[in-house]
Every structure is written in C-alpha cells, then in structure tokens.
Amino acid sequence: GDSVTQMEGPVTLSEEAFLTINCTYTATGYPSLFWYVQYPGEGLQLLLKATKADDKGSNKGFEATYRKETTSFHLEKGSVQVSDSAVYFCALSDHTDYKLSFGAGTTVTVRA
Amino acid sequence: GAVVSQHPSWVICKSGTSVKIECRSLDFQATTMFWYRQFPKQSLMLMATSNEGSKATYEQGVEKDKFLINHASLTLSTLTVTSAHPEDSSFYICSVTTQDFSNQPQHFGDGTRLSIL
C-alpha cells in the first residue's frame, strides 16, 4: 500500500538557519503530495502541495519539489524563524478515496 | 476563515463518562469526513471514515462500539467515546473531504484534547 517515510526528528535550529526535512514515498500510481504543519495544540494546516511530477509547491518561504525519479518531496526553507517551530507532516493522496497517508512527523524547534 | 469547526477543543472528564465531539463543515456540504487520533509526538492515525446517511467505515483495530460515529447531515459528524477510560485520552482530529484533488483533499479541524481522569 501507499506509505510515506519522513526524516525523524527532533530538529533544533538557530534562527536564519537552513532547514531540510526529507520525505520519500511509495505509491502505485501518481499521487498528490503535501506538507502539513501542526502548531502546538492545533490541528493541521496545509503548508504546500504538488499534484504532479516536477511541480514545486511553495508557501511562506518553504519549498518542495515533486521528484518522481527519486520518489521524494523534501521540504526546504532557506532562513527559518522562531515562528516556524512546529511539527511538519509529509502526506500523499492517491486520488481514489480522498484518504491521506501521513509520515511520522518531524518536530522542528527554532531558537532565537 | 475556518472551514471546519471542531468542538469542544478540550474536555476533561471522569472515567466511565461518554464524551461527544462535534465536527462541522462551515463552507460546504461534506458527504465524507474523517476522524483521526493522535498520541503525543506521533502521527495521525485514521480511525474511521464518516459517511453522510450511512454507517461509518472503521479502520482495522478500532472498536466501533467504543467510538460511535454519527453523520446525520451534510455539515455535521459526531464522534462519541463511550464509557471513556484513561487509555482513551488523546488528541482527536476531524477532517472534511473537499473531493477536490486539485486543491487539497481534506480540511482539518483544530482538534479536541480529551483527558480522562
């Protein structure tokens, strides 16, 4: 079945550092890929998405490119802020039943 | 603005109590909603798919008699944790299906933190 493997955390960074969170997936078809962010005590918010190979999703300085050849969707941000401290989830949807398969989540803490 | 409203956001109750959590779709009619459970520092675990006007579909290992789901209208699904015990303490999140893969397939509520004493 479909699955998502995500870099384990926690990740602790200093403000303005470069952030990368690795995500790879296994799927039989051509899924859509997502990054969600969860702030403490809250639900999930969509951060960015990509629906086909070579698409680049971007939002709030975060980027991720759908790489079919490496089945990856790594999340990057060039200069993180304290407000980026959150848990980040990589997810995929295979377009059949609207379900999402989530990675384990990566906790990111940015220190001032 | 919010697309999904989940209520209550936090509930503390005694062991043996039944607790109802509501999930409302605010902007559109939702024939399908999902209920998730999240343990501390872990990912979301899908519990069940809530279908308007029919029985919910539960994931393997989830007790349907323990976690009652009712989806009586196109804008409301409820999850009732019956005779709750401390092991049921968790963060419960609902989502609403947009049925639109070009945007995002689900919008999430803000979650309900359930603490059973």
Side-chain angles (χ1 to χ4, degrees):
Chain A
D2 298 342
S3 66
V4 176
T5 302
Q6 188 174 340
M7 184 178 86
E8 290 188 19
V11 175
T12 302
L13 303 165
S14 297
E15 218 168 13
E16 300 183 2
F18 183 85
L19 170 68
T20 299
I21 304 176
N22 289 340
C23 172
T24 57
Y25 67 90
T26 302
T28 53
Y30 301 95
S32 290
L33 302 174
F34 307 87
W35 277 101
Y36 284 88
V37 58
Q38 184 179 32
Y39 298 102
E42 298 183 10
L44 271 66
Q45 300 175 26
L46 179 66
L47 181 59
L48 53 84
K49 69 181 192 301
T51 57
K52 62 182 186 297
D54 300 324
D55 270 1
K56 177 186 283 188
S58 61
N59 186 26
K60 300 181 180 179
F62 289 90
E63 293 184 341
T65 301
Y66 190 141
R67 301 287 189 197
K68 185 172 180 292
E69 63 276 14
T70 55
T71 61
S72 65
F73 192 55
H74 305 322
L75 181 68
E76 297 181 337
K77 185 172 185 179
S79 177
V80 294
Q81 305 300 313
V82 173
S83 57
D84 294 324
S85 298
V87 182
Y88 293 84
F89 292 95
C90 186
L92 72 80
S93 175
D94 65 4
H95 300 182
T96 58
D97 58 6
Y98 310 104
K99 289 183 179 179
L100 287 165
S101 297
F102 287 95
T106 302
T107 300
V108 174
T109 302
V110 181
R111 299 191 188 283
Chain B
V3 176
V4 180
S5 172
Q6 190 172 339
H7 178 80
S9 56
W10 200 324
V11 59
I12 302 173
C13 58
K14 295 180 179 180
S15 184
T17 307
S18 291
V19 179
K20 180 184 285 188
I21 303 170
E22 294 186 348
C23 181
R24 292 184 183 274
S25 175
L26 301 179
D27 282 358
F28 50 89
Q29 295 180 333
T31 56
T32 302
M33 297 184 182
F34 296 104
W35 285 98
Y36 296 86
R37 183 174 182 175
Q38 185 181 29
F39 291 102
K41 301 188 187 301
Q42 294 189 26
S43 189
L44 278 70
M45 180 190 77
L46 179 65
M47 298 175 66
T49 303
S50 175
N51 304 297
E52 187 268 335
S54 64
K55 291 182 179 181
T57 304
Y58 290 82
E59 297 299 304
Q60 191 172 7
V62 177
E63 300 177 60
K64 57 185 67 176
D65 294 332
K66 175 72 170 177
F67 300 99
L68 300 179
I69 292 173
N70 185 285
H71 193 155
S73 77
L74 286 170
T75 58
L76 175 65
S77 174
T78 60
L79 168 68
T80 301
V81 184
T82 61
S83 187
H85 292 284
E87 59 266 27
D88 298 323
S89 299
S90 192
F91 194 56
Y92 293 87
I93 304 176
C94 72
S95 72
V96 172
T97 307
T98 65
Q99 299 186 350
D100 177 8
F101 288 115
S102 65
N103 187 8
Q104 57 175 313
Q106 298 180 28
H107 286 278
F108 290 85
D110 282 340
T112 298
R113 185 161 303 284
L114 175 62
S115 297
I116 308 298
L117 305 177

